[in-house]
Amino acid sequence: MAERPVLGISAFFHDSAAALVAGGEIVAAAQEERFTRRKHDPSFPHHAVEYCLREAGISVGDLGAVAFYEDSALKFRRIAATYAGLAPLGFSSFRESLPPWLAWKLRMKRTVRRELGLAPGQRVVTLRHHESHAASAFYPSPFESAAVLCLDGVGEWATTSFWHGTPEGLRPLAELRFPHSLGLLYSAFTYFCGFKVDSGEYKLMGLAPYGKPRYAELIRRELLDLKPDGSFRLNLRYFEFLHGRVMTGAAFERLFGGPRRTPEGSLTEREFDLAASVQEVTEEVVLRLARTARALTGESRLCLAGGVALNCVANGKLARAQIFDHLWVQPAAGDAGGALGAALATAGARPATMRGARLGPSYSDAEISAFLDHHGLPHQRLDERALLDRVAGALEDGKVVGWFQGRLEFGPRALGARSILGDARNEHMQSTMNLKIKFRESFRPFAPAVLAEDAKDWFELDQESPYMLLVADVSPGQRVPPAEPETATGLALLHQRRSTIPAVTHVDSSARIQTVGAEAEPRYRRLLEVFKERTGCPVLVNTSFNVRGEPIVNTPAEAYTCFMRTDIDLLALGGFLLDKAEQPAFTEETDWRDHIPLD
């Protein structure tokens, strides 16, 4: 057990991050992308480490241990064994990947020690990938004991793992191993539908309600040998990911009627139906695995982590199935959360329950004022009630507001610290935000933020969802009968009004919900209360404060730049309010959209 602070790190593969645990508390956690502005930055998280140490008021020399989130040597053995089993196929891909492994990935303890400048006596430990996920799910949860289920693409060998969390710690129970992976199955369809693997899976999930699951039986019959307990094997002749370059090939194309959609190509009924089909199969597998987790542990509470745990539609189905009485999902369920799990597992002392995901940097009003004054930017400084009244009134009038308050969120969701807000009752708000502010596909849904105590009146949800990781239907009392018989298909479904809050109601009358309770950013909750006072509606649109291809904003300067590049009307920076109409002309040497990679 480490009594001194423990730093956890995830790096080099996807979404690097750092997290610091000290004195039985989670002090800080942040993704490297928020500092470098490179989305899903996999490089060593120097900036995130520097922030965590600064937040704790310590130096590297004060660390009791540094914990790396996976066993890179074991991971390399799996990669090498896979290539060896396929030889000579995949040799060129293996040859390209070998140099960085030999240079620094293989000997991760030495790499961490060198990158951080650790003293000889300072300890570096490595954990298994799924152990880090399990620790990130169980230790910050509100449960004394629980079943823990981890689902992702692959760590070292494990792709699915079962754990039992008790007051004595975490005990591994069973696992499924590479190449049989629910995450890789979903990523194969992400790739085939023309989206980017490891970042476009949420687009596929958002596309599913536009289609019909007409390929689901084909997937079950040809791609997946699924057992009653949720264990499965993939039919590998349909997949190419073992070779290292692409996810699918000719066999997959023959099975599903033609070549993969080209990125940015037109979406067709096939893509809608493929998304609906793999989503249905994924939900079936998750439910079967959850029943097995209950049987293995006898627990009535479940914790989830791993990239598949970010599939909030499947999470919503799991919650409604009532296999468990209570469900808790780590808000940074992907690889970034592995840094937190590694730190918690190594620290040994269970922290206080994770109340909110606000673990990143914050900026005081003095710092914001200095930024605004330095650049001569017109603004008003308001007391809190005046600020909330102005913002709530603007939202009521159909304006879009950039909202920058308190500590940056850890994980992929904006939860009221770095958010773009709108009126959920406005039927034009979804298209306005997608096309003129986020610069992204029109089909992408937006999430509602709702006061926790009012959620039951607006959504069919019987538990809190503070991290926007559960999907539920809009309450029948808030639904609106269609004006005419619904014959539209595909993206034409977007134009049908389905509820009193159309900006956050998906085409299947569902919504990805954030309940805003006591753990939320305080000013954000008070804004919802003021908006409800004015309108009778406790629901706002909440989307992340960024544009397509960029990470969520971190600093006041990044927030202002995003504000000026888009059609956001007002910017609330701490206690300051900026009106777009009052700002000086904003020019850049080049069009920033030419340099943003597609996500």
Side-chain angles (χ1 to χ4, degrees):
M1 181 180 297
E3 297 179 358
R4 296 164 64 195
V6 175
L7 179 71
I9 290 174
S10 63
F12 296 134
F13 300 105
H14 181 71
D15 213 9
S16 295
L20 189 78
V21 175
E25 297 290 337
I26 303 170
V27 176
Q31 291 127 281
E32 185 70 359
E33 66 164 25
R34 306 293 166 84
F35 304 93
T36 63
R37 313 308 300 157
R38 178 188 174 194
K39 198 165 186 179
H40 303 302
D41 191 343
S43 60
F44 194 90
H46 285 289
H47 299 85
V49 168
E50 181 183 354
Y51 155 68
C52 288
L53 296 176
R54 184 172 66 250
E55 186 68 27
I58 63 174
S59 66
V60 169
D62 296 314
L63 293 172
V66 178
F68 193 73
Y69 81 125
E70 66 181 9
D71 185 336
S72 57
L74 183 58
K75 185 167 191 165
F76 179 74
R77 288 199 290 274
R78 186 258 299 168
I79 292 171
T82 301
Y83 279 122
L86 294 167
L89 295 175
F91 177 73
S92 59
S93 175
F94 180 63
R95 183 175 57 193
E96 289 175 11
S97 68
L98 193 57
W101 276 103
L102 296 180
W104 41 266
K105 286 185 180 181
L106 190 55
R107 299 173 180 84
M108 195 54 65
K109 288 185 178 181
R110 188 170 67 182
T111 298
V112 168
R113 190 173 295 282
R114 182 185 69 243
E115 294 290 330
L116 294 179
L118 297 178
Q122 288 182 281
R123 191 161 61 106
V124 179
V125 298
T126 58
L127 289 84
R128 297 288 181 92
H129 186 101
H130 272 229
E131 181 183 2
S132 295
H133 275 321
S136 78
F138 175 62
Y139 291 129
S141 79
F143 309 140
E144 283 297 314
S145 64
V148 182
L149 180 58
C150 301
L151 305 140
D152 63 4
V154 60
E156 297 87 4
W157 282 100
T159 63
T160 300
S161 61
F162 300 88
W163 304 73
H164 192 183
T166 70
E168 288 70 45
L170 277 162
R171 181 166 61 92
L173 301 176
E175 68 179 31
L176 303 180
R177 292 191 142 207
F178 181 85
H180 306 293
S181 164
L182 186 59
L184 291 176
L185 173 69
Y186 206 87
S187 291
F189 281 87
T190 300
Y191 172 83
F192 191 70
C193 289
F195 303 123
K196 189 175 180 181
V197 172
D198 286 335
S199 66
E201 283 76 7
Y202 58 94
K203 295 184 184 182
L204 194 72
M205 181 179 66
L207 202 65
Y210 293 92
K212 296 179 174 60
R214 63 188 180 97
Y215 297 107
E217 281 305 315
L218 185 62
I219 294 171
R220 294 184 185 101
R221 186 174 69 247
E222 296 292 333
L223 300 186
L224 193 71
D225 179 15
L226 178 61
K227 304 301 183 185
D229 64 358
S231 62
F232 59 88
R233 293 181 65 83
L234 298 182
N235 186 344
L236 297 175
R237 74 185 185 90
Y238 286 107
F239 299 93
E240 300 293 323
F241 58 77
L242 289 174
H243 304 161
R245 291 188 179 277
V246 296
M247 296 297 295
T248 63
F252 207 90
E253 293 175 354
R254 288 192 295 271
L255 188 64
F256 294 110
R260 69 181 285 251
R261 169 182 171 257
T262 57
E264 303 303 299
S266 297
L267 288 164
T268 69
E269 186 177 355
R270 184 185 69 159
E271 282 75 50
F272 302 140
D273 292 346
L274 285 169
S277 301
V278 74
Q279 180 64 35
E280 179 178 284
V281 172
T282 297
E283 292 163 9
E284 180 181 358
V285 176
V286 169
L287 290 177
R288 292 191 187 192
L289 291 169
R291 291 187 183 97
T292 297
R294 173 101 195 212
L296 287 172
T297 63
E299 293 285 351
S300 63
R301 295 163 289 200
L302 176 68
C303 299
L304 287 177
V308 177
L310 293 172
N311 191 310
C312 50
V313 179
N315 295 344
K317 291 282 179 69
L318 178 55
R320 290 191 295 278
Q322 298 185 327
I323 300 166
F324 289 88
D325 297 338
H326 302 283
L327 174 67
W328 194 86
V329 186
Q330 165 55 239
D335 280 2
L340 176 59
L344 290 169
T346 303
R350 182 161 187 179
T353 298
M354 188 172 176
R355 301 292 294 174
R358 302 186 315 279
L359 296 169
S362 64
Y363 298 86
S364 67
D365 275 359
E367 291 172 306
I368 294 171
S369 179
F371 161 73
L372 296 172
D373 292 342
H374 176 74
H375 293 282
L377 302 177
H379 62 274
Q380 288 182 285
R381 184 165 193 165
L382 303 170
D383 63 45
E384 183 173 275
R385 182 67 202 203
L387 176 74
L388 297 178
D389 280 336
R390 283 283 304 278
V391 170
L395 291 168
E396 187 180 5
D397 291 340
K399 301 290 180 64
V400 178
V401 178
W403 185 256
F404 183 103
Q405 306 289 335
R407 293 183 73 176
L408 173 69
E409 300 94 340
F410 182 52
R413 308 295 184 211
L415 301 170
R418 303 290 186 276
S419 292
I420 299 173
L421 306 176
D423 186 348
R425 303 168 304 160
N426 188 322
E427 61 186 318
H428 304 295
M429 189 57 64
Q430 181 186 9
S431 59
T432 296
M433 281 188 159
N434 267 329
L435 301 177
K436 295 186 178 182
I437 294 170
K438 302 289 282 188
F439 300 105
R440 67 186 195 182
E441 302 92 341
S442 62
F443 70 84
R444 300 272 292 278
F446 287 107
V450 58
L451 290 170
E453 61 270 27
D454 293 322
K456 65 183 181 303
D457 299 324
W458 293 81
F459 305 99
E460 294 187 307
L461 184 71
D462 60 2
Q463 69 173 83
E464 291 190 356
S465 177
Y467 303 123
M468 209 183 285
L469 285 170
L470 293 177
V471 164
D473 288 340
V474 175
S475 293
Q478 301 299 336
R479 295 186 199 172
V480 174
E484 55 190 48
E486 191 167 295
T487 59
T489 59
L491 295 183
L493 291 168
L494 273 171
H495 306 301
Q496 296 278 1
R497 182 183 177 95
R498 290 175 169 76
S499 78
T500 61
I501 44 174
V504 295
T505 304
H506 210 359
V507 296
D508 60 354
S509 296
S510 70
R512 174 166 53 92
I513 301 157
Q514 180 198 7
T515 55
V516 181
E519 78 291 326
E521 201 285 322
R523 189 171 283 172
Y524 178 55
R525 178 175 165 84
R526 288 192 286 271
L527 175 64
L528 278 163
E529 292 170 342
V530 172
F531 188 77
K532 180 185 176 183
E533 289 172 10
R534 297 178 66 103
T535 66
C537 177
V539 184
L540 287 173
V541 181
N542 173 21
T543 189
S544 56
F545 201 156
N546 65 326
V547 294
R548 182 185 185 187
E550 282 191 334
I552 295 173
V553 300
N554 174 9
T555 68
E558 290 158 9
Y560 184 80
T561 297
C562 186
F563 168 56
M564 295 303 295
R565 283 174 169 175
T566 65
D567 285 350
I568 297 174
D569 299 294
L570 295 175
L571 174 60
L573 276 177
F576 303 89
L577 190 65
L578 288 75
D579 190 321
K580 175 68 67 62
E582 299 172 354
Q583 301 308 306
F586 184 79
T587 58
E588 296 180 281
E589 292 183 2
T590 60
D591 188 334
W592 60 273
R593 282 167 287 194
D594 294 338
H595 308 290
I596 294 295
L598 298 178
D599 59 349

